[in-house]
Amino acid sequence: MVPMRERFAVEIPSGGAALEADRWLGEGAPVVLVHSGVSDRRGWEDVAERLNSAGCSVVAYDMRGFGGSPPTDGAFSHMDDLIAVLEGLDLKKAWIVGSSLGGGVALDAALVASKRMSGLVLIAPAVSGAPRAHHLDANTGSLVQLLEAADARR
């Protein structure tokens, strides 16, 4: 049986963003998948279908500036967007699965809105507030500088 996938947009009140998303409806626990900084929601497709086959209701969305969700002008927070996704989908509680950047977003959201979380699954999460590594070789250091400059430009 092929899982039924629905494509939609989650409207985020702050900043007027619309985040592209896919949903696989199920009767079981809701799961929200938050992608890494080098991918978008499409990277979760196999995971979402397997979770859905196990009965879970699954949502994977593109964070702002990724996949089908364009960047927006002005300040925003991926963490606030995740909480707005939960609110916009009327998910009182959900399992949050985050990879890398998405894991850091999920962890930060859990600290702010723990009552909305059934649990967390973190895959190599980026951790906000973690001390910076100071022992980088020259090549890695130059890549970090390029990444930080790109991030500053959004």
Side-chain angles (χ1 to χ4, degrees):
M1 180 175 175
V2 176
M4 293 297 294
R5 180 168 81 187
E6 166 191 30
R7 181 152 294 142
F8 65 103
V10 180
E11 299 294 327
I12 306 298
S14 64
L19 306 182
E20 291 292 313
D22 290 321
R23 175 175 25 214
W24 293 259
L25 296 175
E27 298 296 320
V31 178
V32 176
L33 305 171
V34 190
H35 63 79
S36 70
V38 295
S39 66
D40 60 31
R41 75 182 188 276
R42 295 172 297 174
W44 288 117
E45 187 171 326
D46 187 54
V47 172
E49 289 176 359
R50 288 172 185 256
L51 288 168
N52 186 247
S53 292
C56 295
S57 181
V58 183
V59 172
Y61 72 97
D62 288 335
M63 290 187 280
R64 289 190 210 204
F66 294 87
S69 298
T72 56
D73 294 331
F76 73 94
S77 158
H78 289 304
M79 179 202 67
D80 290 338
D81 284 354
L82 171 55
I83 294 168
V85 166
L86 296 172
E87 291 170 355
L89 297 175
D90 199 29
L91 296 174
K92 305 296 183 219
K93 287 186 122 189
W95 280 87
I96 310 299
V97 179
S99 175
S100 191
L101 170 64
V105 170
L107 188 56
D108 288 345
L111 293 172
V112 172
S114 61
K115 290 185 170 45
R116 297 203 81 121
M117 313 285 166
S118 296
L120 291 172
V121 177
L122 304 175
I123 305 163
V127 178
S128 64
R132 289 189 160 279
H134 295 289
H135 308 319
L136 300 176
D137 63 82
N139 289 332
T140 304
S142 66
L143 290 174
V144 168
Q145 290 175 347
L146 290 170
L147 186 60
E148 288 173 346
D151 188 48
R153 290 189 309 270
R154 296 176 166 243

